[in-house]
Amino acid sequence: MWKPQLVRAESSLNIPAIAAAHVIKSYVAQAPDEVSLEVGDVVCIIDMPPKELSPWWRGKRGFQAGSFPSECVELISGQVPESLVNSLRKPVPKKRGKFLPFLRSLVKARPQRARQPEPEKEGVFGCDLGEHLLRSGRDVPQVLQSCSEFIKQHGVVRGIYRLSGVTSKIQRLRHEFDSEQLPELSVRDIHSVSSLCKMYFRELPNPLLTYQLYAKFSVSTGQCLAKDMYLFPGRPG
C-alpha cells in the first residue's frame, strides 16, 4: 500500500497547511515517518490524496509532522482554532486568487469545542479481529473464508501471493466485503483475490500473532534455527 514518505520532519513543518481536522480515532505511530494521534487533537493537513489512491494523509500535530490514516480524522468545515491559524505560514498573495479570502473567512470564524465523533461505520477491513468476529457471530471472517476457498480451487498459478492484482478490482472487492456483500470472484482476477487477503491481514490494528506475543515468537524462532543448524551443520541457513 502506498504511503506518502517524509523527507525530513523539519521541512514538513514548514509546508503550509491546506486544511484542518480534529482527531476522532486514536492512532499510535508504527514507523518513524508517522505521527501519533489522540482523540480531540487538532491536526494541520499538508497532503490529503484521494482515498482511492491512498488511505494515508500527511499532517502536523504541534511540532510533529508525519503520516497517519485518514479515517482517524474529520475535516473541520470553516472553523480553525486561532492557535492553529497563527502557526501556519502566511501564503504569498496571488492576483485574483481565491485562497486569501478563504483564509480570512477561516480566521474570522470563532472556534468551537470539538464535536462528539459520529459512530464509525462498522466495516471489515481495519477492524479488530476479535471485535469483528464477536459482532458477526462467525469463527472466520467472511472475506478470508470466501477468498481462501476460491484460491484453493483456482489458485494453482505461478506467484499467487507474489504478484499483485489490479488496484481498481481490489478496491471494488474490498468495498463489497465492507458492505457485507458477497462479490462474484473471477478466475481472471485470481491475483486480485490473493492481494485482497494480504490487504486484510496488513490492515489489522493488532497483528494476527499480536504485539504481546512477538517476543515469544522471536525466541521460539531463534531456538528452532539454532537447533536446525546443530542437526544439519552443513546445511546453509
Side-chain angles (χ1 to χ4, degrees):
M1 180 187 303
W2 176 82
K3 180 177 68 175
Q5 302 292 322
L6 301 181
V7 179
R8 293 181 57 189
E10 296 82 1
S11 61
S12 297
L13 288 173
N14 295 326
I15 298 177
I18 59 177
H22 61 85
V23 180
I24 60 175
K25 181 179 179 181
S26 299
Y27 176 75
V28 179
Q30 305 294 325
D33 63 336
E34 298 179 6
V35 60
S36 299
L37 304 176
E38 295 183 4
V39 176
D41 288 342
V42 177
V43 182
C44 294
I45 308 298
I46 59 180
D47 188 11
M48 45 187 299
K51 291 186 178 180
E52 59 268 23
L53 296 180
S54 172
W56 292 88
W57 285 1
R58 290 172 54 194
K60 297 180 286 187
R61 174 177 173 262
F63 293 97
Q64 295 180 339
S67 302
F68 54 87
S70 59
E71 63 180 4
C72 294
V73 301
E74 182 179 63
L75 294 178
I76 300 176
S77 302
Q79 297 175 352
V80 182
E82 294 180 0
S83 59
L84 186 62
V85 176
N86 294 334
S87 66
L88 303 181
R89 189 176 67 178
K90 295 183 179 180
V92 178
K94 296 183 179 180
K95 186 176 181 180
R96 297 181 181 179
K98 297 182 179 180
F99 181 77
L100 190 57
F102 173 73
L103 183 59
R104 288 174 179 171
S105 64
L106 294 181
V107 175
K108 292 180 180 180
R110 296 186 61 183
Q112 296 182 354
R113 294 182 180 180
R115 297 176 298 173
Q116 292 293 332
E118 298 179 358
E120 295 184 4
K121 181 181 179 181
E122 296 178 348
V124 175
F125 289 81
C127 297
D128 181 80
L129 179 59
E131 294 180 359
H132 174 66
L133 294 179
L134 182 63
R135 185 176 69 245
S136 61
R138 301 179 58 88
D139 295 329
V140 178
Q142 181 65 58
V143 58
L144 293 183
Q145 181 175 343
S146 299
C147 292
S148 60
E149 292 177 353
F150 185 79
I151 293 173
K152 185 177 180 179
Q153 296 177 4
H154 308 285
V156 186
V157 296
R158 183 177 182 181
I160 178 63
Y161 288 105
R162 180 174 58 85
L163 300 178
S164 300
V166 181
T167 302
S168 59
K169 296 180 180 179
I170 298 173
Q171 294 296 336
R172 178 182 59 81
L173 292 175
R174 169 177 176 159
H175 175 72
E176 293 181 355
F177 276 112
D178 266 334
S179 302
E180 298 183 354
Q181 302 177 17
L182 289 179
E184 181 179 354
L185 305 179
S186 172
V187 178
R188 293 178 300 177
D189 303 329
I190 185 66
H191 293 293
S192 299
V193 177
S194 62
S195 297
L196 189 70
C197 284
K198 294 190 294 183
M199 176 184 290
Y200 177 83
F201 288 112
R202 186 167 58 246
E203 294 191 5
L204 284 175
N206 195 27
L208 193 63
L209 303 182
T210 73
Y211 292 115
Q212 293 79 3
L213 299 177
Y214 177 79
K216 295 183 179 180
F217 281 112
S218 299
V219 173
S220 300
T221 303
Q223 292 176 348
C224 292
L225 291 176
K227 183 178 180 180
D228 186 51
M229 294 178 65
Y230 175 77
L231 295 177
F232 304 98
R235 182 179 177 180

